[in-house]
Amino acid sequence: CRQLFRSPSMPSSVIRPILKRIDRPQDRDTPIKTKRRRSVAGTPSEEAAAEPVAWLLRSRSFSHEEIENLLANDHQELIGDFSKAYLLQTVEGKHQDLKYISPEMMVAVLTGQFSSLIESCVIVDCRYPYEYEGGHIKGAVNLPMEQDVEEFLLKKPIVPFDASKRVIVIFHCEFSSERGPRMCRFVREKDRACNEYPHLHYPELYVLKGGYREFFPQYQTHCEPQDYRPMHHEDFKEDLRKFRLKSR
């Protein structure tokens, strides 16, 4: 090796075999090989084959990510029939597939702050009758069973007289943890079944976060009577048992 570097006059036939031993295998397209192709004069076909590959991969990756983000945002922003964005500001809740509003937003609706945009707001109290009678949000209708809500909302759907205004439905129970969310999903499922996709009678559904338990202490003046009767009240154990059997 020392003679190889010290003696430039050494015949090329001796140098060539030695150099070939340190070359990369010809069947592996390594970064070194690619770099050599670009720096050493090669055939036009080799350069053309190397260039477009990297460009295509970059373009496809960027476009795919961008489109997915746009679709995800649209899915979160639009109401059930995809006609417009949700009107009320929403908050995070227990169930990611549902739209929750805060007690403050509920009061904003009750006090008419959205009257220019909402023609009808139906508040569905999904608690059992003895809970509802012990205290409920003013104007709320008590629909604890699936057949009750189907009869009230879907047998004769509420249609706004002014097509530019909305009909919204807000569900809640004691904590808005199980009964309210379950009823909200039930209405959407039945509504889908009786309409041609994506049309809906009630495309804008909400759940009151925290339910009556969180609403009552803050806004008692919006409740009647101004009281709160929990589901597990000592005086209504038999009623609880009866309604639980009926709801199965």
Side-chain angles (χ1 to χ4, degrees):
C1 292
R2 290 176 185 170
Q3 290 180 356
L4 173 65
F5 289 104
R6 287 179 182 177
S7 199
S9 61
M10 185 176 285
S12 60
S13 60
V14 177
I15 299 173
R16 194 173 292 113
I18 297 173
L19 293 177
K20 282 185 178 179
R21 290 195 191 103
I22 63 172
D23 278 346
R24 298 285 184 182
Q26 297 301 315
D27 58 340
R28 294 175 61 185
D29 193 7
T30 64
I32 295 174
K33 183 177 178 182
T34 305
K35 188 173 182 181
R36 279 183 186 155
R37 282 181 183 169
R38 293 175 183 173
S39 59
V40 180
T43 61
S45 60
E46 287 179 343
E47 293 177 358
E51 290 298 331
V53 175
W55 179 83
L56 287 173
L57 289 173
R58 283 198 300 271
S59 176
R60 182 178 60 188
S61 176
F62 177 78
S63 299
H64 180 71
E65 182 180 358
E66 185 180 38
I67 291 171
E68 280 200 343
N69 289 335
L70 289 172
L71 290 175
N73 290 334
D74 286 346
H75 180 70
Q76 293 173 1
E77 295 291 335
L78 300 180
I79 61 177
D81 61 1
F82 315 118
S83 61
K84 56 180 75 72
Y86 280 90
L87 174 63
L88 305 182
Q89 183 179 358
T90 58
V91 294
E92 288 189 7
K94 179 180 178 180
H95 305 279
Q96 297 300 313
D97 60 316
L98 304 177
K99 295 295 182 182
Y100 287 81
I101 62 169
S102 65
E104 293 80 5
M105 186 57 62
M106 172 70 92
V107 171
V109 174
L110 293 172
T111 54
Q113 295 183 35
F114 296 94
S115 58
S116 62
L117 299 170
I118 297 176
E119 183 169 304
S120 178
C121 172
V122 183
I123 303 172
V124 178
D125 189 330
C126 304
R127 296 177 300 158
Y128 301 135
Y130 67 89
E131 298 173 82
Y132 176 85
E133 292 163 4
H136 58 268
I137 299 172
K138 290 180 180 179
V141 290
N142 187 213
L143 305 173
M145 300 293 145
E146 291 180 350
Q147 58 265 31
D148 298 329
V149 76
E150 191 170 8
E151 178 80 16
F152 186 88
L153 290 176
L154 297 172
K155 189 172 183 179
K156 189 177 180 181
I158 302 170
V159 180
F161 292 105
D162 185 346
S164 66
K165 291 189 175 184
R166 310 181 186 215
V167 173
I168 68 172
V169 186
I170 305 173
F171 298 84
H172 81 85
C173 52
E174 185 175 7
F175 301 101
S176 287
S177 177
E178 299 298 334
R179 291 177 289 175
R182 184 170 61 244
M183 196 68 79
C184 182
R185 291 195 186 99
F186 173 78
V187 170
R188 175 53 54 83
E189 181 185 350
K190 290 294 182 180
D191 203 355
R192 285 279 185 220
C194 62
N195 280 291
E196 185 177 348
Y197 187 87
H199 180 71
L200 290 165
H201 295 305
Y202 305 103
E204 197 159 354
L205 306 179
Y206 298 95
V207 175
L208 174 63
K209 185 176 182 179
Y212 190 74
R213 176 66 183 83
E214 188 173 323
F215 184 88
F216 173 73
Q218 302 177 62
Y219 303 104
Q220 294 186 28
T221 56
H222 290 281
C223 303
E224 57 181 10
Q226 292 184 19
D227 202 356
Y228 165 43
R229 183 178 293 163
M231 181 177 72
H232 292 283
H233 195 285
E234 285 293 324
D235 298 337
F236 296 90
K237 289 183 178 180
E238 184 59 29
D239 295 82
L240 174 60
R241 190 188 66 82
K242 180 181 67 175
F243 282 107
R244 276 184 165 173
L245 287 172
K246 289 176 67 175
S247 61
R248 285 178 182 175

mmCIF file with all atom_site columns, all heavy atoms in Angstrom, residues 94-107:
data_model
loop_
_atom_site.group_PDB
_atom_site.id
_atom_site.type_symbol
_atom_site.label_atom_id
_atom_site.label_alt_id
_atom_site.label_comp_id
_atom_site.label_asym_id
_atom_site.label_entity_id
_atom_site.label_seq_id
_atom_site.pdbx_PDB_ins_code
_atom_site.Cartn_x
_atom_site.Cartn_y
_atom_site.Cartn_z
_atom_site.occupancy
_atom_site.B_iso_or_equiv
_atom_site.pdbx_formal_charge
_atom_site.auth_seq_id
_atom_site.auth_comp_id
_atom_site.auth_asym_id
_atom_site.auth_atom_id
_atom_site.pdbx_PDB_model_num
ATOM 1   N N   . LYS A 1 94  ? -66.975 14.052 28.771 1.00 0.00 ? 94  LYS A N   1
ATOM 2   C CA  . LYS A 1 94  ? -66.610 12.651 28.976 1.00 0.00 ? 94  LYS A CA  1
ATOM 3   C C   . LYS A 1 94  ? -66.579 11.864 27.676 1.00 0.00 ? 94  LYS A C   1
ATOM 4   O O   . LYS A 1 94  ? -65.711 11.018 27.465 1.00 0.00 ? 94  LYS A O   1
ATOM 5   C CB  . LYS A 1 94  ? -67.598 12.010 29.959 1.00 0.00 ? 94  LYS A CB  1
ATOM 6   C CG  . LYS A 1 94  ? -67.342 10.538 30.237 1.00 0.00 ? 94  LYS A CG  1
ATOM 7   C CD  . LYS A 1 94  ? -68.354 9.967  31.214 1.00 0.00 ? 94  LYS A CD  1
ATOM 8   C CE  . LYS A 1 94  ? -68.106 8.474  31.449 1.00 0.00 ? 94  LYS A CE  1
ATOM 9   N NZ  . LYS A 1 94  ? -69.087 7.893  32.398 1.00 0.00 ? 94  LYS A NZ  1
ATOM 10  N N   . HIS A 1 95  ? -67.550 12.121 26.791 1.00 0.00 ? 95  HIS A N   1
ATOM 11  C CA  . HIS A 1 95  ? -67.677 11.365 25.545 1.00 0.00 ? 95  HIS A CA  1
ATOM 12  C C   . HIS A 1 95  ? -67.215 12.227 24.369 1.00 0.00 ? 95  HIS A C   1
ATOM 13  O O   . HIS A 1 95  ? -67.817 13.256 24.077 1.00 0.00 ? 95  HIS A O   1
ATOM 14  C CB  . HIS A 1 95  ? -69.120 10.907 25.345 1.00 0.00 ? 95  HIS A CB  1
ATOM 15  C CG  . HIS A 1 95  ? -69.670 10.111 26.498 1.00 0.00 ? 95  HIS A CG  1
ATOM 16  N ND1 . HIS A 1 95  ? -69.416 8.764  26.661 1.00 0.00 ? 95  HIS A ND1 1
ATOM 17  C CD2 . HIS A 1 95  ? -70.440 10.478 27.560 1.00 0.00 ? 95  HIS A CD2 1
ATOM 18  C CE1 . HIS A 1 95  ? -70.012 8.328  27.757 1.00 0.00 ? 95  HIS A CE1 1
ATOM 19  N NE2 . HIS A 1 95  ? -70.636 9.352  28.318 1.00 0.00 ? 95  HIS A NE2 1
ATOM 20  N N   . GLN A 1 96  ? -66.151 11.791 23.694 1.00 0.00 ? 96  GLN A N   1
ATOM 21  C CA  . GLN A 1 96  ? -65.535 12.592 22.646 1.00 0.00 ? 96  GLN A CA  1
ATOM 22  C C   . GLN A 1 96  ? -66.412 12.751 21.405 1.00 0.00 ? 96  GLN A C   1
ATOM 23  O O   . GLN A 1 96  ? -66.215 13.678 20.623 1.00 0.00 ? 96  GLN A O   1
ATOM 24  C CB  . GLN A 1 96  ? -64.193 11.964 22.239 1.00 0.00 ? 96  GLN A CB  1
ATOM 25  C CG  . GLN A 1 96  ? -63.164 11.938 23.360 1.00 0.00 ? 96  GLN A CG  1
ATOM 26  C CD  . GLN A 1 96  ? -62.811 13.316 23.876 1.00 0.00 ? 96  GLN A CD  1
ATOM 27  O OE1 . GLN A 1 96  ? -62.562 14.231 23.103 1.00 0.00 ? 96  GLN A OE1 1
ATOM 28  N NE2 . GLN A 1 96  ? -62.804 13.481 25.196 1.00 0.00 ? 96  GLN A NE2 1
ATOM 29  N N   . ASP A 1 97  ? -67.377 11.869 21.220 1.00 0.00 ? 97  ASP A N   1
ATOM 30  C CA  . ASP A 1 97  ? -68.217 11.953 20.027 1.00 0.00 ? 97  ASP A CA  1
ATOM 31  C C   . ASP A 1 97  ? -69.391 12.914 20.192 1.00 0.00 ? 97  ASP A C   1
ATOM 32  O O   . ASP A 1 97  ? -70.144 13.137 19.240 1.00 0.00 ? 97  ASP A O   1
ATOM 33  C CB  . ASP A 1 97  ? -68.753 10.562 19.658 1.00 0.00 ? 97  ASP A CB  1
ATOM 34  C CG  . ASP A 1 97  ? -69.593 9.944  20.779 1.00 0.00 ? 97  ASP A CG  1
ATOM 35  O OD1 . ASP A 1 97  ? -69.167 10.019 21.948 1.00 0.00 ? 97  ASP A OD1 1
ATOM 36  O OD2 . ASP A 1 97  ? -70.672 9.394  20.484 1.00 0.00 ? 97  ASP A OD2 1
ATOM 37  N N   . LEU A 1 98  ? -69.563 13.488 21.379 1.00 0.00 ? 98  LEU A N   1
ATOM 38  C CA  . LEU A 1 98  ? -70.688 14.387 21.651 1.00 0.00 ? 98  LEU A CA  1
ATOM 39  C C   . LEU A 1 98  ? -70.190 15.805 21.888 1.00 0.00 ? 98  LEU A C   1
ATOM 40  O O   . LEU A 1 98  ? -69.038 16.026 22.253 1.00 0.00 ? 98  LEU A O   1
ATOM 41  C CB  . LEU A 1 98  ? -71.471 13.895 22.871 1.00 0.00 ? 98  LEU A CB  1
ATOM 42  C CG  . LEU A 1 98  ? -72.007 12.463 22.797 1.00 0.00 ? 98  LEU A CG  1
ATOM 43  C CD1 . LEU A 1 98  ? -72.693 12.077 24.101 1.00 0.00 ? 98  LEU A CD1 1
ATOM 44  C CD2 . LEU A 1 98  ? -72.963 12.290 21.615 1.00 0.00 ? 98  LEU A CD2 1
ATOM 45  N N   . LYS A 1 99  ? -71.104 16.768 21.692 1.00 0.00 ? 99  LYS A N   1
ATOM 46  C CA  . LYS A 1 99  ? -70.779 18.180 21.892 1.00 0.00 ? 99  LYS A CA  1
ATOM 47  C C   . LYS A 1 99  ? -71.354 18.647 23.230 1.00 0.00 ? 99  LYS A C   1
ATOM 48  O O   . LYS A 1 99  ? -72.569 18.588 23.433 1.00 0.00 ? 99  LYS A O   1
ATOM 49  C CB  . LYS A 1 99  ? -71.353 19.027 20.747 1.00 0.00 ? 99  LYS A CB  1
ATOM 50  C CG  . LYS A 1 99  ? -70.735 18.736 19.387 1.00 0.00 ? 99  LYS A CG  1
ATOM 51  C CD  . LYS A 1 99  ? -69.263 19.118 19.372 1.00 0.00 ? 99  LYS A CD  1
ATOM 52  C CE  . LYS A 1 99  ? -68.644 18.883 17.995 1.00 0.00 ? 99  LYS A CE  1
ATOM 53  N NZ  . LYS A 1 99  ? -67.213 19.217 17.984 1.00 0.00 ? 99  LYS A NZ  1
ATOM 54  N N   . TYR A 1 100 ? -70.486 19.122 24.099 1.00 0.00 ? 100 TYR A N   1
ATOM 55  C CA  . TYR A 1 100 ? -70.895 19.568 25.432 1.00 0.00 ? 100 TYR A CA  1
ATOM 56  C C   . TYR A 1 100 ? -70.894 21.095 25.496 1.00 0.00 ? 100 TYR A C   1
ATOM 57  O O   . TYR A 1 100 ? -70.033 21.754 24.902 1.00 0.00 ? 100 TYR A O   1
ATOM 58  C CB  . TYR A 1 100 ? -69.932 19.038 26.490 1.00 0.00 ? 100 TYR A CB  1
ATOM 59  C CG  . TYR A 1 100 ? -70.060 17.564 26.764 1.00 0.00 ? 100 TYR A CG  1
ATOM 60  C CD1 . TYR A 1 100 ? -69.456 16.628 25.930 1.00 0.00 ? 100 TYR A CD1 1
ATOM 61  C CD2 . TYR A 1 100 ? -70.762 17.093 27.871 1.00 0.00 ? 100 TYR A CD2 1
ATOM 62  C CE1 . TYR A 1 100 ? -69.560 15.270 26.188 1.00 0.00 ? 100 TYR A CE1 1
ATOM 63  C CE2 . TYR A 1 100 ? -70.872 15.732 28.132 1.00 0.00 ? 100 TYR A CE2 1
ATOM 64  C CZ  . TYR A 1 100 ? -70.260 14.831 27.292 1.00 0.00 ? 100 TYR A CZ  1
ATOM 65  O OH  . TYR A 1 100 ? -70.366 13.481 27.538 1.00 0.00 ? 100 TYR A OH  1
ATOM 66  N N   . ILE A 1 101 ? -71.843 21.636 26.264 1.00 0.00 ? 101 ILE A N   1
ATOM 67  C CA  . ILE A 1 101 ? -71.841 23.063 26.562 1.00 0.00 ? 101 ILE A CA  1
ATOM 68  C C   . ILE A 1 101 ? -71.773 23.242 28.078 1.00 0.00 ? 101 ILE A C   1
ATOM 69  O O   . ILE A 1 101 ? -72.190 22.373 28.838 1.00 0.00 ? 101 ILE A O   1
ATOM 70  C CB  . ILE A 1 101 ? -73.071 23.796 25.984 1.00 0.00 ? 101 ILE A CB  1
ATOM 71  C CG1 . ILE A 1 101 ? -74.372 23.245 26.597 1.00 0.00 ? 101 ILE A CG1 1
ATOM 72  C CG2 . ILE A 1 101 ? -73.093 23.716 24.468 1.00 0.00 ? 101 ILE A CG2 1
ATOM 73  C CD1 . ILE A 1 101 ? -75.600 24.085 26.291 1.00 0.00 ? 101 ILE A CD1 1
ATOM 74  N N   . SER A 1 102 ? -71.259 24.368 28.513 1.00 0.00 ? 102 SER A N   1
ATOM 75  C CA  . SER A 1 102 ? -71.136 24.664 29.936 1.00 0.00 ? 102 SER A CA  1
ATOM 76  C C   . SER A 1 102 ? -72.458 25.186 30.488 1.00 0.00 ? 102 SER A C   1
ATOM 77  O O   . SER A 1 102 ? -73.328 25.626 29.726 1.00 0.00 ? 102 SER A O   1
ATOM 78  C CB  . SER A 1 102 ? -70.046 25.709 30.141 1.00 0.00 ? 102 SER A CB  1
ATOM 79  O OG  . SER A 1 102 ? -70.440 26.939 29.544 1.00 0.00 ? 102 SER A OG  1
ATOM 80  N N   . PRO A 1 103 ? -72.652 25.181 31.820 1.00 0.00 ? 103 PRO A N   1
ATOM 81  C CA  . PRO A 1 103 ? -73.834 25.799 32.414 1.00 0.00 ? 103 PRO A CA  1
ATOM 82  C C   . PRO A 1 103 ? -73.972 27.276 32.026 1.00 0.00 ? 103 PRO A C   1
ATOM 83  O O   . PRO A 1 103 ? -75.082 27.771 31.821 1.00 0.00 ? 103 PRO A O   1
ATOM 84  C CB  . PRO A 1 103 ? -73.595 25.635 33.915 1.00 0.00 ? 103 PRO A CB  1
ATOM 85  C CG  . PRO A 1 103 ? -72.754 24.401 34.022 1.00 0.00 ? 103 PRO A CG  1
ATOM 86  C CD  . PRO A 1 103 ? -71.848 24.449 32.837 1.00 0.00 ? 103 PRO A CD  1
ATOM 87  N N   . GLU A 1 104 ? -72.843 27.978 31.905 1.00 0.00 ? 104 GLU A N   1
ATOM 88  C CA  . GLU A 1 104 ? -72.877 29.392 31.504 1.00 0.00 ? 104 GLU A CA  1
ATOM 89  C C   . GLU A 1 104 ? -73.478 29.555 30.107 1.00 0.00 ? 104 GLU A C   1
ATOM 90  O O   . GLU A 1 104 ? -74.268 30.477 29.858 1.00 0.00 ? 104 GLU A O   1
ATOM 91  C CB  . GLU A 1 104 ? -71.459 29.984 31.526 1.00 0.00 ? 104 GLU A CB  1
ATOM 92  C CG  . GLU A 1 104 ? -70.830 30.098 32.907 1.00 0.00 ? 104 GLU A CG  1
ATOM 93  C CD  . GLU A 1 104 ? -70.248 28.793 33.421 1.00 0.00 ? 104 GLU A CD  1
ATOM 94  O OE1 . GLU A 1 104 ? -70.233 27.802 32.665 1.00 0.00 ? 104 GLU A OE1 1
ATOM 95  O OE2 . GLU A 1 104 ? -69.827 28.764 34.597 1.00 0.00 ? 104 GLU A OE2 1
ATOM 96  N N   . MET A 1 105 ? -73.112 28.657 29.201 1.00 0.00 ? 105 MET A N   1
ATOM 97  C CA  . MET A 1 105 ? -73.655 28.724 27.843 1.00 0.00 ? 105 MET A CA  1
ATOM 98  C C   . MET A 1 105 ? -75.144 28.392 27.834 1.00 0.00 ? 105 MET A C   1
ATOM 99  O O   . MET A 1 105 ? -75.917 28.983 27.080 1.00 0.00 ? 105 MET A O   1
ATOM 100 C CB  . MET A 1 105 ? -72.885 27.755 26.932 1.00 0.00 ? 105 MET A CB  1
ATOM 101 C CG  . MET A 1 105 ? -73.257 27.846 25.459 1.00 0.00 ? 105 MET A CG  1
ATOM 102 S SD  . MET A 1 105 ? -73.039 29.492 24.739 1.00 0.00 ? 105 MET A SD  1
ATOM 103 C CE  . MET A 1 105 ? -71.274 29.723 24.953 1.00 0.00 ? 105 MET A CE  1
ATOM 104 N N   . MET A 1 106 ? -75.553 27.475 28.690 1.00 0.00 ? 106 MET A N   1
ATOM 105 C CA  . MET A 1 106 ? -76.983 27.158 28.822 1.00 0.00 ? 106 MET A CA  1
ATOM 106 C C   . MET A 1 106 ? -77.765 28.399 29.263 1.00 0.00 ? 106 MET A C   1
ATOM 107 O O   . MET A 1 106 ? -78.840 28.694 28.711 1.00 0.00 ? 106 MET A O   1
ATOM 108 C CB  . MET A 1 106 ? -77.179 26.030 29.832 1.00 0.00 ? 106 MET A CB  1
ATOM 109 C CG  . MET A 1 106 ? -78.634 25.747 30.191 1.00 0.00 ? 106 MET A CG  1
ATOM 110 S SD  . MET A 1 106 ? -79.567 24.984 28.841 1.00 0.00 ? 106 MET A SD  1
ATOM 111 C CE  . MET A 1 106 ? -79.305 23.256 29.233 1.00 0.00 ? 106 MET A CE  1
ATOM 112 N N   . VAL A 1 107 ? -77.252 29.122 30.220 1.00 0.00 ? 107 VAL A N   1
ATOM 113 C CA  . VAL A 1 107 ? -77.921 30.341 30.683 1.00 0.00 ? 107 VAL A CA  1
ATOM 114 C C   . VAL A 1 107 ? -77.974 31.392 29.578 1.00 0.00 ? 107 VAL A C   1
ATOM 115 O O   . VAL A 1 107 ? -78.974 32.111 29.440 1.00 0.00 ? 107 VAL A O   1
ATOM 116 C CB  . VAL A 1 107 ? -77.207 30.901 31.934 1.00 0.00 ? 107 VAL A CB  1
ATOM 117 C CG1 . VAL A 1 107 ? -77.746 32.280 32.304 1.00 0.00 ? 107 VAL A CG1 1
ATOM 118 C CG2 . VAL A 1 107 ? -77.384 29.952 33.108 1.00 0.00 ? 107 VAL A CG2 1
#
